[in-house]
Amino acid sequence: MLSKGSAGVVLLAAAGCAALAPSPDRPPARLEIRAPDLAHSLTEDYPAPSRPEDPVKLGVWNRINADRKAAGLAPVAWDAAASRVADAFCARQIQEQTRGHFLLNGFPPYARMGLAGVFGMNSENAVAWTTTGANFEDTPLQLALAGQQSMMAEKAPNDGHRRTILDPEVTHVGVGWAQGSGRFRMAQEFLVRHLARLTLEQAAGNPATVLVKGQTLSDYRLAFVTLAHETTPKSLTRNQANARTHYEFPQPRLAFVPEGMKSLHVVGSETQDTVRVGPGNDFAFRFTPGAVGLWTLVIYTSGAREKARPGGAAVLWVEKAAP
């Protein structure tokens, strides 16, 4: 079985709209960030060039880039951090006997990636093969490449996997896989990475306030940040997890823009000019979640004469503090 997530986020930025008055961040008492672990500051830098040593991952990465080259697209760089997240996900799928994008904990792919401290804008392809025999006749590499071939053979409009592989915006990919108990699972984690660095720090005096600091790559600048809330995912039964064949990013209702840009309004969101932009493409802002659940922060970037588009993301899991 193959399954693909719907990971599109459509937002427009327009000048000339009246700015909404900033509302103070006053969360309910005793909230805290449960994940990622911010006992110490968490920083991810733009990945250094690398290549996978595992022959299955290497084979899939090479095939992905061959398929992109045939479509006239640039290759995607290898992402070791995303690969580690994908490996853990696939291993857990084998244990839980699940397939698709969800484990029994109900967390979506972008939350798994962000809570692991991987801050690219993520979209996922998932592949699942099952045999009733004692073992697969095909090798893991053959199973993985068969999955890639099946995704590339999709036809519009039911070609979500193929469109993800051939997305011109993605810059990196990490591949993970696992096999056992007559099951093979593979996940392809594609990312858009326009950030040279992103750091999350817990603010002193308030365990629910996060200081976000970062720097865009030299070819990009920060345009705005959207913040979306959803309730904490509920546990799923195996049937429920397997029945979820797609996922979507939550709709943002809050947006931060650079300080002084009060005329910039992000459509559909309360917009506040709270992002401090410094020299060298540095930026920083504070965020205090106002409710328990998952908060997804999408960092929009733009190049010269380009419209803003997602260039990075982070996720916070907020819960009530222990008494």
Side-chain angles (χ1 to χ4, degrees):
M1 174 184 175
L2 306 175
S3 56
K4 169 66 182 71
S6 174
V9 179
V10 180
L11 291 168
L12 300 176
C17 298
L20 295 175
S23 58
D25 289 323
R26 293 192 181 127
R30 299 190 60 78
L31 294 184
E32 64 179 5
I33 308 299
R34 179 167 177 178
D37 183 2
L38 299 183
H40 303 282
S41 62
L42 176 62
T43 297
E44 188 194 34
D45 294 318
Y46 188 83
S50 65
R51 59 188 290 114
E53 296 181 359
D54 177 87
V56 175
K57 298 178 182 183
L58 179 62
V60 174
W61 180 49
N62 286 337
R63 182 63 60 83
I64 287 171
N65 280 330
D67 289 336
R68 288 178 63 88
K69 182 178 180 179
L73 298 171
V76 286
W78 179 249
D79 200 303
S83 177
R84 289 191 292 271
V85 176
D87 275 338
F89 169 61
C90 292
R92 189 69 177 270
Q93 282 192 310
I94 296 295
Q95 295 172 1
E96 296 181 350
Q97 302 179 28
T98 51
R99 61 180 182 270
H101 299 288
F102 289 87
L103 298 171
L104 299 183
N105 64 14
F107 279 70
Y110 56 86
R112 287 195 300 270
M113 195 65 60
L115 295 176
V118 181
F119 298 139
M121 185 66 180
N122 172 235
S123 56
E124 177 181 87
N125 281 342
V127 172
W129 300 120
T130 302
T131 180
T132 56
N135 297 290
F136 286 100
E137 295 182 359
D138 294 329
T139 67
L141 177 58
Q142 290 172 328
L143 292 170
L145 293 179
Q148 174 71 12
Q149 182 178 6
S150 295
M151 292 187 286
M152 287 299 300
E154 293 172 346
K155 304 296 182 182
N158 300 314
D159 60 341
H161 299 91
R162 183 177 182 274
R163 285 185 283 111
T164 295
I165 295 167
L166 301 182
D167 183 350
E169 300 292 338
V170 298
T171 60
H172 290 72
V173 69
V175 177
W177 68 279
Q179 182 176 333
S181 303
R183 296 175 175 83
F184 176 87
R185 300 290 185 266
M186 178 178 72
Q188 299 174 339
E189 306 291 348
F190 290 88
L191 297 103
V192 179
R193 286 189 178 271
H194 293 168
L195 303 180
R197 183 189 68 258
L198 190 70
T199 297
L200 304 182
E201 293 181 359
Q202 196 169 56
N206 188 344
T209 296
V210 178
L211 174 61
V212 181
K213 300 186 295 183
Q215 182 184 51
T216 62
L217 297 174
S218 59
D219 291 338
Y220 298 94
R221 63 177 180 83
L222 181 138
F224 56 90
V225 180
T226 62
L227 304 98
H229 174 258
E230 59 189 300
T231 58
T232 302
K234 296 181 179 180
S235 297
L236 304 173
T237 66
R238 184 178 298 117
N239 287 340
Q240 288 172 331
N242 292 343
R244 294 192 176 187
T245 58
H246 72 284
Y247 66 94
E248 296 179 351
F249 281 76
Q251 183 67 31
R253 299 300 180 190
L254 179 64
F256 294 164
V257 300
E259 290 178 338
M261 298 186 66
K262 294 182 180 295
S263 63
L264 179 62
H265 178 71
V266 179
V267 174
S269 300
E270 176 187 351
T271 305
Q272 303 176 13
D273 64 325
T274 60
V275 181
R276 179 167 298 179
V277 178
N281 294 341
D282 290 341
F283 63 87
F285 61 91
R286 288 176 179 267
F287 174 56
T288 305
V292 301
L294 297 183
W295 290 85
T296 300
L297 288 63
V298 178
I299 299 169
Y300 280 72
T301 59
S302 60
R305 300 180 181 179
E306 292 181 350
K307 67 178 182 179
R309 59 189 189 273
V315 177
L316 304 174
W317 181 8
V318 180
E319 292 290 345
K320 291 182 180 181

